Amino acid sequence: NAGVTQTPKFQVLKTGQSMTLQCAQDMNHNSMYWYRQDPGMGLRLIYYSASEGTTDKGEVPNGYNVSRLNKREFSLRLESAAPSQTSVYFCASSEVGSQETQYFGPGTRLLVL
Amino acid sequence: DAKTTQPPSMDCAEGRAANLPCNHSTISGNEYVYWYRQIHSQGPQYIIHGLKNNETNEMASLIITEDRKSSTLILPHATLRDTAVYYCIVRVAWSGGFKTIFGAGTRLFVKA
């Protein structure tokens, strides 16, 4: 039972390049999330998916797109990377309900030059 | 728009209890209080949550005041590996449902 896995662990991009961050969970959770964390800050929600086939914007969605490929996988795409998107990206999953405990992946560290 | 207030940092001696306070004065009657921690640059880790009764698990205890406006996370015997940022969270209702807002948290330093 691996929990939440993310790939890649680390990535360097040049401004304008595109890439997709992958996330998968094996806990059969319905909800999945993408957060970013800038140095010294808390996590901010980018996008979330309450269930397979649905996605919604979070607090900071600009510059990102997501795909809920199936129940297990939720990907985050940067179409044209900018230095302001340099951050650590965390994926999380949870069951739906009033007591919604989130389980986080190890993070992807992204540097945009 | 965080609904919780925590001290920015705290120290604790190894082996002693670490008591981390949190104020959530605007909490609604059916909202749970959650605690997570983040060790160095790892993903946040769930610790415990509660509604109005005190809760205990293998990691920690959660004490919630009777008026539910504040709570305290207790690590009974802190170790060096408990050095981390601890987040107290009450989920916020918004147009998309509920969202979990991670504020700046409390940076706990456990010292030998």
Side-chain angles (χ1 to χ4, degrees):
Chain A
N1 193 342
V4 179
T5 57
Q6 294 183 236
T7 56
K9 287 185 170 55
F10 182 73
Q11 183 73 46
V12 179
L13 291 178
K14 295 181 179 178
T15 296
Q17 287 186 316
S18 62
M19 80 162 295
T20 300
L21 282 64
Q22 306 286 353
C23 175
Q25 52 93 9
D26 62 2
M27 294 174 283
N28 202 36
H29 286 163
N30 285 304
S31 297
M32 298 186 73
Y33 312 81
W34 276 105
Y35 292 88
R36 61 176 287 175
Q37 184 174 35
D38 299 328
M41 306 284 287
L43 281 74
R44 290 184 293 171
L45 183 65
I46 305 172
Y47 268 94
Y48 75 101
S49 171
S51 61
E52 184 179 353
T54 68
T55 61
D56 286 286
K57 296 179 180 179
E59 301 168 80
V60 288
N62 292 343
Y64 305 95
N65 286 301
V66 290
S67 296
R68 184 73 183 268
L69 305 171
N70 47 54
K71 192 171 186 179
R72 288 189 63 248
E73 299 172 290
F74 189 36
S75 63
L76 179 72
R77 182 160 178 84
L78 286 71
E79 291 291 350
S80 179
S84 61
Q85 294 178 305
T86 292
S87 191
V88 181
Y89 292 84
F90 290 102
C91 177
S93 71
S94 72
E95 235 343 307
V96 178
S98 61
Q99 303 183 55
E100 192 178 293
T101 299
Q102 295 189 23
Y103 296 87
F104 286 81
T108 293
R109 284 145 187 79
L110 177 65
L111 174 62
V112 183
L113 302 175
Chain B
D1 56 348
K3 294 181 65 175
T4 63
T5 304
Q6 299 177 255
S9 67
M10 295 181 63
D11 290 344
C12 178
E14 188 179 22
R16 304 298 293 270
N19 299 290
L20 290 86
C22 179
N23 288 321
H24 31 79
S25 57
T26 60
I27 193 171
S28 298
N30 60 350
E31 290 178 332
Y32 285 78
V33 179
Y34 295 79
W35 283 83
Y36 289 79
R37 73 179 182 184
Q38 188 173 25
I39 296 174
H40 193 44
S41 53
Q42 298 176 23
Q45 175 190 25
Y46 165 79
I47 301 173
I48 198 168
H49 73 283
L51 182 63
K52 53 184 177 182
N53 297 321
N54 297 338
E55 302 288 345
T56 296
N57 63 21
E58 65 278 4
M59 290 183 67
S61 295
L62 175 61
I63 308 298
I64 303 174
T65 58
E66 193 169 340
D67 63 8
R68 303 212 324 120
K69 293 185 176 182
S70 65
S71 61
T72 301
L73 178 75
I74 301 172
L75 307 178
H77 305 287
T79 71
L80 297 178
R81 287 177 293 181
D82 291 323
T83 292
V85 178
Y86 288 78
Y87 298 100
C88 169
I89 294 161
V90 175
R91 291 191 298 151
V92 176
W94 70 312
S95 59
F98 286 91
K99 61 180 177 180
T100 300
I101 296 181
F102 287 80
T106 295
R107 188 170 296 274
L108 176 68
F109 296 94
V110 180
K111 300 181 177 180

